[in-house]
Amino acid sequence: GFTTMSEKLTPEGLTAFLNEYLTPMTEILLAREGTLDKYMGDAIMAFWGAPIVQKDHAVRAALAALDMLAKLDEMKKRLAAEGKPVLDIGIGLNSGLMRVGFMGSARMRSYTVLGDNVNLGSRLEGTNKNYGTHLIVSETTYQAARSAVFGRWLDAVRVKGKREPVNIYELMGRLEPGGMPPAHMKKVIDVFEAGMGHYRARQWDQAEASFQATIKLRGADPPSLIYLERIAHFRQEPPPHDWD
């Protein structure tokens, strides 16, 4: 909602508001030793693993993202109390080989990353709007960060520019000291993923029951609502036999 928000603020007010948001987010990024690439309006682009090699780059990125969402919750309460616009964000993470270095023109260059894996991270950020989520990561990132964080398989999607579907995960929190999600969240994930199994098998009644149970456990769960809508559609118009 940045565009709508910006139209309601003066240029000075917008600048102050953006700085108020970008400052703590940047501090989190730097605390996790990420490389700030650039600001793009209200967006932050960053990467890990260069110029200094970080074997745990995916973990650092995942923890930074979770820290940002925690900070955002704090900011929302304060902004609401001050009568300021309420922020919401989407984060996308992907891991893989990328071209990194100083790029640009003969006169001006900036240190940045390029490549398909960079583009996928950007696509995943935008995909949050389709699922009502805040933090979507690729399977590559999820598997590399599973020692520290937990989440759930959300879908297989064909992002723009790619023919093969990509498995995407919603990152939901940090693992507890014993290496497990909190008990309540583990129950949520187990019920939701059971629903996903039924959904893929076209067992609409069982899938519907699982997604409704997930909503009941969490109080609200946008991805479950999305799947309930899909189920209602597929009951009227069943998917083809080669449905993927």
Side-chain angles (χ1 to χ4, degrees), residues 52-103:
I52 298 170
V53 174
Q54 297 161 321
K55 291 185 178 179
D56 60 343
H57 52 81
V59 170
R60 290 174 185 266
L63 292 176
L66 291 171
D67 289 345
M68 288 177 174
L69 291 177
K71 173 59 71 174
L72 183 71
D73 283 341
E74 290 178 23
M75 293 181 68
K76 280 182 177 180
K77 294 170 186 172
R78 179 170 53 78
L79 292 169
E82 295 174 358
K84 293 181 179 178
V86 177
L87 287 166
D88 210 359
I89 63 173
I91 302 174
L93 295 176
N94 183 40
S95 307
L97 287 172
M98 303 170 189
R99 174 70 64 187
V100 59
F102 287 95
M103 302 177 202

mmCIF file of all heavy atoms in Angstrom, residues 52-103:
data_model
loop_
_atom_site.group_PDB
_atom_site.id
_atom_site.type_symbol
_atom_site.label_atom_id
_atom_site.label_comp_id
_atom_site.label_asym_id
_atom_site.label_seq_id
_atom_site.Cartn_x
_atom_site.Cartn_y
_atom_site.Cartn_z
ATOM 1 N N ILE A 52 32.039 -11.003 1.586
ATOM 2 C CA ILE A 52 32.657 -11.981 2.487
ATOM 3 C C ILE A 52 31.860 -13.277 2.410
ATOM 4 O O ILE A 52 30.630 -13.271 2.488
ATOM 5 C CB ILE A 52 32.682 -11.462 3.933
ATOM 6 C CG1 ILE A 52 33.536 -10.179 4.028
ATOM 7 C CG2 ILE A 52 33.215 -12.523 4.891
ATOM 8 C CD1 ILE A 52 33.424 -9.465 5.357
ATOM 9 N N VAL A 53 32.554 -14.387 2.247
ATOM 10 C CA VAL A 53 31.876 -15.683 2.173
ATOM 11 C C VAL A 53 31.216 -16.004 3.507
ATOM 12 O O VAL A 53 31.845 -15.889 4.571
ATOM 13 C CB VAL A 53 32.880 -16.795 1.800
ATOM 14 C CG1 VAL A 53 32.202 -18.168 1.864
ATOM 15 C CG2 VAL A 53 33.454 -16.553 0.418
ATOM 16 N N GLN A 54 29.947 -16.372 3.455
ATOM 17 C CA GLN A 54 29.191 -16.777 4.647
ATOM 18 C C GLN A 54 28.505 -18.095 4.334
ATOM 19 O O GLN A 54 27.532 -18.134 3.585
ATOM 20 C CB GLN A 54 28.146 -15.704 5.007
ATOM 21 C CG GLN A 54 28.743 -14.359 5.387
ATOM 22 C CD GLN A 54 27.724 -13.241 5.283
ATOM 23 O OE1 GLN A 54 26.909 -13.217 4.363
ATOM 24 N NE2 GLN A 54 27.782 -12.287 6.206
ATOM 25 N N LYS A 55 29.020 -19.175 4.898
ATOM 26 C CA LYS A 55 28.434 -20.485 4.602
ATOM 27 C C LYS A 55 26.998 -20.599 5.125
ATOM 28 O O LYS A 55 26.207 -21.378 4.602
ATOM 29 C CB LYS A 55 29.317 -21.587 5.203
ATOM 30 C CG LYS A 55 30.670 -21.712 4.498
ATOM 31 C CD LYS A 55 31.464 -22.882 5.022
ATOM 32 C CE LYS A 55 32.791 -23.013 4.264
ATOM 33 N NZ LYS A 55 33.608 -24.145 4.766
ATOM 34 N N ASP A 56 26.676 -19.823 6.146
ATOM 35 C CA ASP A 56 25.329 -19.853 6.716
ATOM 36 C C ASP A 56 24.471 -18.702 6.194
ATOM 37 O O ASP A 56 23.608 -18.175 6.893
ATOM 38 C CB ASP A 56 25.402 -19.801 8.244
ATOM 39 C CG ASP A 56 26.084 -18.535 8.754
ATOM 40 O OD1 ASP A 56 26.775 -17.856 7.955
ATOM 41 O OD2 ASP A 56 25.933 -18.220 9.953
ATOM 42 N N HIS A 57 24.696 -18.315 4.938
ATOM 43 C CA HIS A 57 24.004 -17.155 4.371
ATOM 44 C C HIS A 57 22.483 -17.278 4.431
ATOM 45 O O HIS A 57 21.781 -16.313 4.714
ATOM 46 C CB HIS A 57 24.458 -16.894 2.930
ATOM 47 C CG HIS A 57 24.376 -18.078 2.032
ATOM 48 N ND1 HIS A 57 23.210 -18.478 1.437
ATOM 49 C CD2 HIS A 57 25.330 -18.966 1.644
ATOM 50 C CE1 HIS A 57 23.439 -19.555 0.702
ATOM 51 N NE2 HIS A 57 24.722 -19.877 0.812
ATOM 52 N N ALA A 58 21.960 -18.471 4.186
ATOM 53 C CA ALA A 58 20.504 -18.651 4.188
ATOM 54 C C ALA A 58 19.931 -18.466 5.590
ATOM 55 O O ALA A 58 18.857 -17.879 5.756
ATOM 56 C CB ALA A 58 20.141 -20.032 3.634
ATOM 57 N N VAL A 59 20.641 -18.966 6.592
ATOM 58 C CA VAL A 59 20.191 -18.800 7.977
ATOM 59 C C VAL A 59 20.186 -17.327 8.355
ATOM 60 O O VAL A 59 19.232 -16.825 8.961
ATOM 61 C CB VAL A 59 21.093 -19.600 8.946
ATOM 62 C CG1 VAL A 59 20.786 -19.249 10.393
ATOM 63 C CG2 VAL A 59 20.909 -21.102 8.724
ATOM 64 N N ARG A 60 21.255 -16.631 7.995
ATOM 65 C CA ARG A 60 21.336 -15.200 8.308
ATOM 66 C C ARG A 60 20.186 -14.431 7.651
ATOM 67 O O ARG A 60 19.567 -13.561 8.275
ATOM 68 C CB ARG A 60 22.673 -14.633 7.818
ATOM 69 C CG ARG A 60 23.887 -15.109 8.605
ATOM 70 C CD ARG A 60 25.179 -14.613 7.942
ATOM 71 N NE ARG A 60 26.362 -15.124 8.590
ATOM 72 C CZ ARG A 60 27.039 -14.472 9.551
ATOM 73 N NH1 ARG A 60 26.615 -13.282 9.943
ATOM 74 N NH2 ARG A 60 28.118 -14.991 10.091
ATOM 75 N N ALA A 61 19.916 -14.742 6.399
ATOM 76 C CA ALA A 61 18.844 -14.059 5.671
ATOM 77 C C ALA A 61 17.486 -14.349 6.307
ATOM 78 O O ALA A 61 16.662 -13.442 6.491
ATOM 79 C CB ALA A 61 18.849 -14.484 4.210
ATOM 80 N N ALA A 62 17.257 -15.614 6.650
ATOM 81 C CA ALA A 62 15.972 -16.006 7.241
ATOM 82 C C ALA A 62 15.769 -15.335 8.600
ATOM 83 O O ALA A 62 14.672 -14.839 8.900
ATOM 84 C CB ALA A 62 15.915 -17.523 7.387
ATOM 85 N N LEU A 63 16.807 -15.301 9.425
ATOM 86 C CA LEU A 63 16.691 -14.685 10.743
ATOM 87 C C LEU A 63 16.505 -13.170 10.627
ATOM 88 O O LEU A 63 15.742 -12.568 11.399
ATOM 89 C CB LEU A 63 17.919 -15.014 11.596
ATOM 90 C CG LEU A 63 18.058 -16.479 12.005
ATOM 91 C CD1 LEU A 63 19.360 -16.697 12.766
ATOM 92 C CD2 LEU A 63 16.872 -16.934 12.850
ATOM 93 N N ALA A 64 17.183 -12.558 9.662
ATOM 94 C CA ALA A 64 16.997 -11.123 9.438
ATOM 95 C C ALA A 64 15.552 -10.827 9.056
ATOM 96 O O ALA A 64 14.942 -9.866 9.552
ATOM 97 C CB ALA A 64 17.952 -10.625 8.352
ATOM 98 N N ALA A 65 14.984 -11.656 8.184
ATOM 99 C CA ALA A 65 13.595 -11.461 7.751
ATOM 100 C C ALA A 65 12.631 -11.586 8.921
ATOM 101 O O ALA A 65 11.703 -10.780 9.078
ATOM 102 C CB ALA A 65 13.251 -12.465 6.659
ATOM 103 N N LEU A 66 12.835 -12.587 9.769
ATOM 104 C CA LEU A 66 11.970 -12.765 10.940
ATOM 105 C C LEU A 66 12.137 -11.608 11.924
ATOM 106 O O LEU A 66 11.163 -11.148 12.530
ATOM 107 C CB LEU A 66 12.277 -14.102 11.620
ATOM 108 C CG LEU A 66 11.868 -15.349 10.830
ATOM 109 C CD1 LEU A 66 12.424 -16.613 11.494
ATOM 110 C CD2 LEU A 66 10.351 -15.447 10.706
ATOM 111 N N ASP A 67 13.370 -11.134 12.084
ATOM 112 C CA ASP A 67 13.609 -9.968 12.945
ATOM 113 C C ASP A 67 12.858 -8.744 12.417
ATOM 114 O O ASP A 67 12.307 -7.957 13.187
ATOM 115 C CB ASP A 67 15.109 -9.649 13.003
ATOM 116 C CG ASP A 67 15.912 -10.672 13.799
ATOM 117 O OD1 ASP A 67 15.290 -11.465 14.536
ATOM 118 O OD2 ASP A 67 17.145 -10.674 13.680
ATOM 119 N N MET A 68 12.858 -8.575 11.103
ATOM 120 C CA MET A 68 12.166 -7.435 10.499
ATOM 121 C C MET A 68 10.665 -7.490 10.767
ATOM 122 O O MET A 68 10.044 -6.469 11.081
ATOM 123 C CB MET A 68 12.435 -7.387 8.994
ATOM 124 C CG MET A 68 13.834 -6.957 8.630
ATOM 125 S SD MET A 68 14.100 -7.018 6.835
ATOM 126 C CE MET A 68 15.742 -6.279 6.732
ATOM 127 N N LEU A 69 10.083 -8.667 10.652
ATOM 128 C CA LEU A 69 8.645 -8.796 10.896
ATOM 129 C C LEU A 69 8.315 -8.533 12.367
ATOM 130 O O LEU A 69 7.276 -7.942 12.687
ATOM 131 C CB LEU A 69 8.156 -10.178 10.481
ATOM 132 C CG LEU A 69 8.158 -10.448 8.972
ATOM 133 C CD1 LEU A 69 7.720 -11.878 8.684
ATOM 134 C CD2 LEU A 69 7.257 -9.463 8.232
ATOM 135 N N ALA A 70 9.202 -8.967 13.270
ATOM 136 C CA ALA A 70 9.000 -8.705 14.696
ATOM 137 C C ALA A 70 9.076 -7.205 14.973
ATOM 138 O O ALA A 70 8.263 -6.655 15.730
ATOM 139 C CB ALA A 70 10.031 -9.460 15.527
ATOM 140 N N LYS A 71 10.040 -6.534 14.358
ATOM 141 C CA LYS A 71 10.177 -5.090 14.522
ATOM 142 C C LYS A 71 8.961 -4.371 13.938
ATOM 143 O O LYS A 71 8.483 -3.379 14.491
ATOM 144 C CB LYS A 71 11.462 -4.612 13.842
ATOM 145 C CG LYS A 71 11.642 -3.099 13.795
ATOM 146 C CD LYS A 71 11.662 -2.467 15.188
ATOM 147 C CE LYS A 71 12.905 -2.781 15.957
ATOM 148 N NZ LYS A 71 12.955 -2.033 17.250
ATOM 149 N N LEU A 72 8.461 -4.878 12.815
ATOM 150 C CA LEU A 72 7.292 -4.269 12.182
ATOM 151 C C LEU A 72 6.088 -4.310 13.116
ATOM 152 O O LEU A 72 5.317 -3.343 13.194
ATOM 153 C CB LEU A 72 6.971 -4.976 10.870
ATOM 154 C CG LEU A 72 5.804 -4.377 10.085
ATOM 155 C CD1 LEU A 72 6.193 -3.034 9.498
ATOM 156 C CD2 LEU A 72 5.348 -5.327 8.986
ATOM 157 N N ASP A 73 5.893 -5.421 13.832
ATOM 158 C CA ASP A 73 4.782 -5.522 14.770
ATOM 159 C C ASP A 73 4.873 -4.440 15.844
ATOM 160 O O ASP A 73 3.874 -3.841 16.234
ATOM 161 C CB ASP A 73 4.756 -6.912 15.424
ATOM 162 C CG ASP A 73 4.196 -7.975 14.496
ATOM 163 O OD1 ASP A 73 3.515 -7.596 13.525
ATOM 164 O OD2 ASP A 73 4.438 -9.166 14.742
ATOM 165 N N GLU A 74 6.097 -4.190 16.327
ATOM 166 C CA GLU A 74 6.303 -3.116 17.312
ATOM 167 C C GLU A 74 5.932 -1.761 16.712
ATOM 168 O O GLU A 74 5.249 -0.952 17.336
ATOM 169 C CB GLU A 74 7.771 -3.071 17.750
ATOM 170 C CG GLU A 74 8.241 -4.221 18.600
ATOM 171 C CD GLU A 74 9.714 -4.093 18.938
ATOM 172 O OE1 GLU A 74 10.246 -2.964 18.899
ATOM 173 O OE2 GLU A 74 10.347 -5.116 19.236
ATOM 174 N N MET A 75 6.391 -1.537 15.473
ATOM 175 C CA MET A 75 6.152 -0.258 14.816
ATOM 176 C C MET A 75 4.666 -0.026 14.555
ATOM 177 O O MET A 75 4.168 1.095 14.686
ATOM 178 C CB MET A 75 6.934 -0.183 13.511
ATOM 179 C CG MET A 75 8.437 -0.137 13.684
ATOM 180 S SD MET A 75 9.302 -0.028 12.101
ATOM 181 C CE MET A 75 8.823 1.625 11.568
ATOM 182 N N LYS A 76 3.951 -1.086 14.181
ATOM 183 C CA LYS A 76 2.516 -0.961 13.880
ATOM 184 C C LYS A 76 1.751 -0.410 15.081
ATOM 185 O O LYS A 76 0.904 0.472 14.940
ATOM 186 C CB LYS A 76 1.941 -2.322 13.486
ATOM 187 C CG LYS A 76 2.211 -2.737 12.050
ATOM 188 C CD LYS A 76 1.542 -4.080 11.796
ATOM 189 C CE LYS A 76 1.718 -4.521 10.365
ATOM 190 N NZ LYS A 76 1.081 -5.817 10.106
ATOM 191 N N LYS A 77 2.060 -0.940 16.268
ATOM 192 C CA LYS A 77 1.364 -0.496 17.477
ATOM 193 C C LYS A 77 1.648 0.981 17.749
ATOM 194 O O LYS A 77 0.741 1.748 18.077
ATOM 195 C CB LYS A 77 1.795 -1.353 18.662
ATOM 196 C CG LYS A 77 1.357 -2.814 18.548
ATOM 197 C CD LYS A 77 1.998 -3.671 19.617
ATOM 198 C CE LYS A 77 1.667 -5.151 19.387
ATOM 199 N NZ LYS A 77 2.422 -6.045 20.278
ATOM 200 N N ARG A 78 2.906 1.370 17.595
ATOM 201 C CA ARG A 78 3.274 2.757 17.863
ATOM 202 C C ARG A 78 2.676 3.695 16.827
ATOM 203 O O ARG A 78 2.154 4.760 17.164
ATOM 204 C CB ARG A 78 4.798 2.887 17.895
ATOM 205 C CG ARG A 78 5.282 4.307 18.148
ATOM 206 C CD ARG A 78 6.767 4.337 18.405
ATOM 207 N NE ARG A 78 7.525 3.672 17.364
ATOM 208 C CZ ARG A 78 7.792 4.210 16.177
ATOM 209 N NH1 ARG A 78 7.322 5.413 15.875
ATOM 210 N NH2 ARG A 78 8.509 3.564 15.283
ATOM 211 N N LEU A 79 2.736 3.309 15.554
ATOM 212 C CA LEU A 79 2.195 4.157 14.488
ATOM 213 C C LEU A 79 0.687 4.348 14.637
ATOM 214 O O LEU A 79 0.161 5.441 14.419
ATOM 215 C CB LEU A 79 2.524 3.552 13.118
ATOM 216 C CG LEU A 79 4.003 3.562 12.711
ATOM 217 C CD1 LEU A 79 4.212 2.709 11.468
ATOM 218 C CD2 LEU A 79 4.497 4.981 12.470
ATOM 219 N N ALA A 80 0.002 3.261 14.994
ATOM 220 C CA ALA A 80 -1.450 3.347 15.187
ATOM 221 C C ALA A 80 -1.776 4.305 16.330
ATOM 222 O O ALA A 80 -2.705 5.111 16.242
ATOM 223 C CB ALA A 80 -2.031 1.963 15.463
ATOM 224 N N ALA A 81 -0.990 4.225 17.416
ATOM 225 C CA ALA A 81 -1.216 5.097 18.568
ATOM 226 C C ALA A 81 -0.968 6.561 18.213
ATOM 227 O O ALA A 81 -1.595 7.464 18.772
ATOM 228 C CB ALA A 81 -0.312 4.676 19.726
ATOM 229 N N GLU A 82 -0.038 6.785 17.255
ATOM 230 C CA GLU A 82 0.298 8.154 16.848
ATOM 231 C C GLU A 82 -0.579 8.652 15.704
ATOM 232 O O GLU A 82 -0.411 9.772 15.226
ATOM 233 C CB GLU A 82 1.774 8.213 16.431
ATOM 234 C CG GLU A 82 2.746 7.942 17.579
ATOM 235 C CD GLU A 82 4.191 7.852 17.099
ATOM 236 O OE1 GLU A 82 4.422 7.961 15.875
ATOM 237 O OE2 GLU A 82 5.083 7.670 17.952
ATOM 238 N N GLY A 83 -1.496 7.810 15.247
ATOM 239 C CA GLY A 83 -2.389 8.207 14.161
ATOM 240 C C GLY A 83 -1.715 8.245 12.802
ATOM 241 O O GLY A 83 -2.203 8.898 11.876
ATOM 242 N N LYS A 84 -0.620 7.511 12.639
ATOM 243 C CA LYS A 84 0.114 7.483 11.373
ATOM 244 C C LYS A 84 -0.327 6.282 10.542
ATOM 245 O O LYS A 84 -0.928 5.344 11.075
ATOM 246 C CB LYS A 84 1.627 7.416 11.635
ATOM 247 C CG LYS A 84 2.191 8.670 12.281
ATOM 248 C CD LYS A 84 3.697 8.539 12.500
ATOM 249 C CE LYS A 84 4.288 9.784 13.119
ATOM 250 N NZ LYS A 84 5.736 9.647 13.384
ATOM 251 N N PRO A 85 -0.042 6.290 9.230
ATOM 252 C CA PRO A 85 -0.405 5.134 8.393
ATOM 253 C C PRO A 85 0.234 3.851 8.917
ATOM 254 O O PRO A 85 1.372 3.864 9.397
ATOM 255 C CB PRO A 85 0.168 5.510 7.016
ATOM 256 C CG PRO A 85 0.297 6.987 7.038
ATOM 257 C CD PRO A 85 0.603 7.363 8.454
ATOM 258 N N VAL A 86 -0.517 2.759 8.839
ATOM 259 C CA VAL A 86 -0.012 1.470 9.320
ATOM 260 C C VAL A 86 0.694 0.745 8.182
ATOM 261 O O VAL A 86 0.163 0.596 7.090
ATOM 262 C CB VAL A 86 -1.154 0.607 9.884
ATOM 263 C CG1 VAL A 86 -0.633 -0.756 10.314
ATOM 264 C CG2 VAL A 86 -1.811 1.311 11.070
ATOM 265 N N LEU A 87 1.899 0.299 8.456
ATOM 266 C CA LEU A 87 2.721 -0.374 7.457
ATOM 267 C C LEU A 87 2.428 -1.864 7.399
ATOM 268 O O LEU A 87 2.042 -2.475 8.388
ATOM 269 C CB LEU A 87 4.201 -0.216 7.814
ATOM 270 C CG LEU A 87 4.861 1.146 7.616
ATOM 271 C CD1 LEU A 87 6.188 1.169 8.353
ATOM 272 C CD2 LEU A 87 5.089 1.404 6.142
ATOM 273 N N ASP A 88 2.657 -2.443 6.233
ATOM 274 C CA ASP A 88 2.692 -3.893 6.106
ATOM 275 C C ASP A 88 3.730 -4.209 5.041
ATOM 276 O O ASP A 88 3.966 -3.398 4.145
ATOM 277 C CB ASP A 88 1.333 -4.463 5.715
ATOM 278 C CG ASP A 88 1.126 -5.869 6.259
ATOM 279 O OD1 ASP A 88 2.066 -6.382 6.916
ATOM 280 O OD2 ASP A 88 0.065 -6.452 6.035
ATOM 281 N N ILE A 89 4.370 -5.344 5.153
ATOM 282 C CA ILE A 89 5.446 -5.658 4.204
ATOM 283 C C ILE A 89 5.369 -7.107 3.737
ATOM 284 O O ILE A 89 4.750 -7.957 4.371
ATOM 285 C CB ILE A 89 6.851 -5.395 4.800
ATOM 286 C CG1 ILE A 89 7.135 -6.299 6.013
ATOM 287 C CG2 ILE A 89 7.005 -3.935 5.190
ATOM 288 C CD1 ILE A 89 8.571 -6.194 6.535
ATOM 289 N N GLY A 90 6.013 -7.354 2.607
ATOM 290 C CA GLY A 90 6.220 -8.708 2.097
ATOM 291 C C GLY A 90 7.703 -8.907 1.882
ATOM 292 O O GLY A 90 8.408 -7.988 1.454
ATOM 293 N N ILE A 91 8.192 -10.097 2.192
ATOM 294 C CA ILE A 91 9.619 -10.412 2.036
ATOM 295 C C ILE A 91 9.755 -11.680 1.202
ATOM 296 O O ILE A 91 9.027 -12.649 1.408
ATOM 297 C CB ILE A 91 10.296 -10.628 3.401
ATOM 298 C CG1 ILE A 91 10.141 -9.376 4.286
ATOM 299 C CG2 ILE A 91 11.774 -10.965 3.229
ATOM 300 C CD1 ILE A 91 10.650 -9.561 5.705
ATOM 301 N N GLY A 92 10.684 -11.670 0.254
ATOM 302 C CA GLY A 92 10.996 -12.859 -0.542
ATOM 303 C C GLY A 92 12.471 -13.184 -0.419
ATOM 304 O O GLY A 92 13.315 -12.294 -0.454
ATOM 305 N N LEU A 93 12.782 -14.475 -0.268
ATOM 306 C CA LEU A 93 14.175 -14.920 -0.157
ATOM 307 C C LEU A 93 14.434 -16.080 -1.111
ATOM 308 O O LEU A 93 13.639 -17.014 -1.194
ATOM 309 C CB LEU A 93 14.486 -15.395 1.268
ATOM 310 C CG LEU A 93 14.450 -14.378 2.412
ATOM 311 C CD1 LEU A 93 14.681 -15.097 3.739
ATOM 312 C CD2 LEU A 93 15.482 -13.299 2.211
ATOM 313 N N ASN A 94 15.556 -16.015 -1.789
ATOM 314 C CA ASN A 94 16.002 -17.143 -2.608
ATOM 315 C C ASN A 94 17.511 -17.275 -2.472
ATOM 316 O O ASN A 94 18.218 -16.302 -2.205
ATOM 317 C CB ASN A 94 15.632 -16.933 -4.075
ATOM 318 C CG ASN A 94 16.026 -18.130 -4.930
ATOM 319 O OD1 ASN A 94 15.865 -19.272 -4.506
ATOM 320 N ND2 ASN A 94 16.544 -17.880 -6.113
ATOM 321 N N SER A 95 17.994 -18.494 -2.646
ATOM 322 C CA SER A 95 19.432 -18.770 -2.557
ATOM 323 C C SER A 95 19.899 -19.499 -3.808
ATOM 324 O O SER A 95 19.171 -20.319 -4.364
ATOM 325 C CB SER A 95 19.731 -19.644 -1.323
ATOM 326 O OG SER A 95 19.190 -19.067 -0.156
ATOM 327 N N GLY A 96 21.114 -19.186 -4.243
ATOM 328 C CA GLY A 96 21.663 -19.852 -5.419
ATOM 329 C C GLY A 96 22.821 -19.069 -5.993
ATOM 330 O O GLY A 96 23.245 -18.044 -5.446
ATOM 331 N N LEU A 97 23.335 -19.558 -7.109
ATOM 332 C CA LEU A 97 24.446 -18.880 -7.777
ATOM 333 C C LEU A 97 23.971 -17.577 -8.411
ATOM 334 O O LEU A 97 22.932 -17.541 -9.064
ATOM 335 C CB LEU A 97 25.046 -19.785 -8.851
ATOM 336 C CG LEU A 97 25.870 -20.973 -8.350
ATOM 337 C CD1 LEU A 97 26.243 -21.884 -9.507
ATOM 338 C CD2 LEU A 97 27.120 -20.502 -7.627
ATOM 339 N N MET A 98 24.734 -16.528 -8.171
ATOM 340 C CA MET A 98 24.418 -15.208 -8.730
ATOM 341 C C MET A 98 25.710 -14.547 -9.183
ATOM 342 O O MET A 98 26.784 -14.848 -8.670
ATOM 343 C CB MET A 98 23.742 -14.324 -7.668
ATOM 344 C CG MET A 98 22.477 -14.927 -7.089
ATOM 345 S SD MET A 98 21.879 -14.018 -5.649
ATOM 346 C CE MET A 98 20.578 -15.133 -5.080
ATOM 347 N N ARG A 99 25.578 -13.627 -10.124
ATOM 348 C CA ARG A 99 26.717 -12.824 -10.553
ATOM 349 C C ARG A 99 26.825 -11.626 -9.628
ATOM 350 O O ARG A 99 25.867 -10.879 -9.478
ATOM 351 C CB ARG A 99 26.511 -12.365 -12.006
ATOM 352 C CG ARG A 99 27.566 -11.402 -12.517
ATOM 353 C CD ARG A 99 28.902 -12.066 -12.708
ATOM 354 N NE ARG A 99 28.857 -13.091 -13.743
ATOM 355 C CZ ARG A 99 29.866 -13.913 -14.019
ATOM 356 N NH1 ARG A 99 30.991 -13.837 -13.333
ATOM 357 N NH2 ARG A 99 29.753 -14.821 -14.977
ATOM 358 N N VAL A 100 27.952 -11.463 -8.989
ATOM 359 C CA VAL A 100 28.126 -10.363 -8.041
ATOM 360 C C VAL A 100 29.356 -9.547 -8.407
ATOM 361 O O VAL A 100 30.383 -10.097 -8.828
ATOM 362 C CB VAL A 100 28.220 -10.879 -6.586
ATOM 363 C CG1 VAL A 100 29.389 -11.844 -6.421
ATOM 364 C CG2 VAL A 100 28.351 -9.745 -5.590
ATOM 365 N N GLY A 101 29.251 -8.230 -8.300
ATOM 366 C CA GLY A 101 30.395 -7.374 -8.595
ATOM 367 C C GLY A 101 29.960 -5.952 -8.886
ATOM 368 O O GLY A 101 28.801 -5.591 -8.697
ATOM 369 N N PHE A 102 30.908 -5.142 -9.343
ATOM 370 C CA PHE A 102 30.609 -3.752 -9.680
ATOM 371 C C PHE A 102 30.073 -3.694 -11.107
ATOM 372 O O PHE A 102 30.761 -4.086 -12.046
ATOM 373 C CB PHE A 102 31.869 -2.897 -9.533
ATOM 374 C CG PHE A 102 32.249 -2.666 -8.099
ATOM 375 C CD1 PHE A 102 33.175 -3.490 -7.469
ATOM 376 C CD2 PHE A 102 31.654 -1.656 -7.365
ATOM 377 C CE1 PHE A 102 33.509 -3.285 -6.138
ATOM 378 C CE2 PHE A 102 31.984 -1.447 -6.031
ATOM 379 C CZ PHE A 102 32.917 -2.270 -5.420
ATOM 380 N N MET A 103 28.845 -3.229 -11.227
ATOM 381 C CA MET A 103 28.179 -3.214 -12.531
ATOM 382 C C MET A 103 27.555 -1.845 -12.783
ATOM 383 O O MET A 103 27.204 -1.122 -11.857
ATOM 384 C CB MET A 103 27.097 -4.295 -12.589
ATOM 385 C CG MET A 103 27.649 -5.689 -12.329
ATOM 386 S SD MET A 103 26.393 -6.956 -12.312
ATOM 387 C CE MET A 103 27.241 -8.234 -11.369
#
